Amino acid sequence: MTKAELPVSRRQLGWLAVMLLTPILLVSVAVTQVPPKPGHTAMDALLGWSVLGAVTLVLLTMLVMMARRHAIDIDDNVLVVRHSLYTLRLRRADVGALHLRRVTSRNELGLGLRTNGIAACGYYSGWFSGQRGERVFCAVSTWPAYLVTVEGNARCRRLALSMSAEVAQRVARWAPPA
């Protein structure tokens, strides 16, 4: 079994943190600046701050998961990509061949709509549709990335992965011989 880490851009994670936490900060400022309504008790304020704290904790947990979960596991039967909140399992039995192409920009990925994923500040994680409606799994947080086209019976026919050239070679060798 081969296990490798996918590269993660700290700058992109920083921007994601700003995007997630800015609304919380704005709500906190608004809550402290707005005068209480008549009949507003200390328990009402405590409840509000508790809800705000819980939401902040959930968002921080998501951010930590996004920062720590970025690996690819390759064994004889399956290729598993774990990236932020999303996982792809590709069975070797469903793969006829793999074609890898190095890409240097988002435009080369051929992404259409985000169907279940994250697309922010150059960070792409999860499920997208391609320009022709095909399913695309993205785990892109640094450039260059590799566009992997899958032939065979796999449900996902395209993968976009940030990975080193060495890991890309391992992925290419994993495919059954043509």
Side-chain angles (χ1 to χ4, degrees):
M1 175 184 234
T2 301
K3 190 173 222 164
E5 295 291 318
L6 299 175
V8 175
S9 168
R10 299 288 179 214
R11 190 186 86 184
Q12 287 172 340
L13 289 174
W15 281 113
L16 286 171
V18 167
M19 289 174 55
L20 286 173
L21 299 177
T22 298
I24 298 295
L25 178 65
L26 293 175
V27 168
S28 299
V29 168
V31 166
T32 58
Q33 298 302 315
V34 173
K37 293 181 181 179
H40 189 78
T41 66
M43 284 304 287
D44 295 333
L46 182 61
L47 177 64
W49 283 109
S50 298
V51 169
L52 191 62
V55 169
T56 303
L57 185 62
V58 167
L59 291 175
L60 285 173
T61 301
M62 287 174 53
L63 187 64
V64 168
M65 282 184 66
M66 290 169 60
R68 298 193 64 188
R69 198 165 184 265
H70 50 273
I72 184 168
D73 298 330
I74 304 169
D75 72 15
D76 293 339
N77 299 317
V78 69
L79 179 138
V80 180
V81 180
R82 292 178 181 86
H83 196 255
S84 66
L85 307 173
Y86 306 95
T87 301
L88 167 78
R89 291 183 190 285
L90 189 61
R91 293 179 340 140
R92 189 170 185 203
D94 294 335
V95 175
L98 291 178
H99 306 282
L100 278 76
R101 181 172 56 103
R102 188 173 183 258
V103 295
T104 57
S105 72
R106 183 207 184 278
N107 293 339
E108 292 179 80
L109 295 177
L111 298 179
L113 298 173
R114 174 180 52 92
T115 56
N116 182 11
I118 300 165
C121 306
Y123 186 91
Y124 302 96
S125 184
W127 297 98
F128 293 74
S129 65
Q131 292 174 337
R132 295 183 199 107
E134 69 277 16
R135 291 181 73 181
V136 181
F137 182 81
C138 287
V140 176
S141 56
T142 61
W143 299 99
Y146 286 85
L147 186 61
V148 181
T149 305
V150 179
E151 291 181 13
N153 298 322
R155 288 181 52 205
C156 182
R157 299 294 179 101
R158 289 188 28 209
L159 291 74
L161 306 173
S162 291
M163 57 186 166
S164 67
E166 176 186 325
V167 174
Q169 289 172 354
R170 290 183 201 168
V171 169
R173 287 191 308 262
W174 175 78

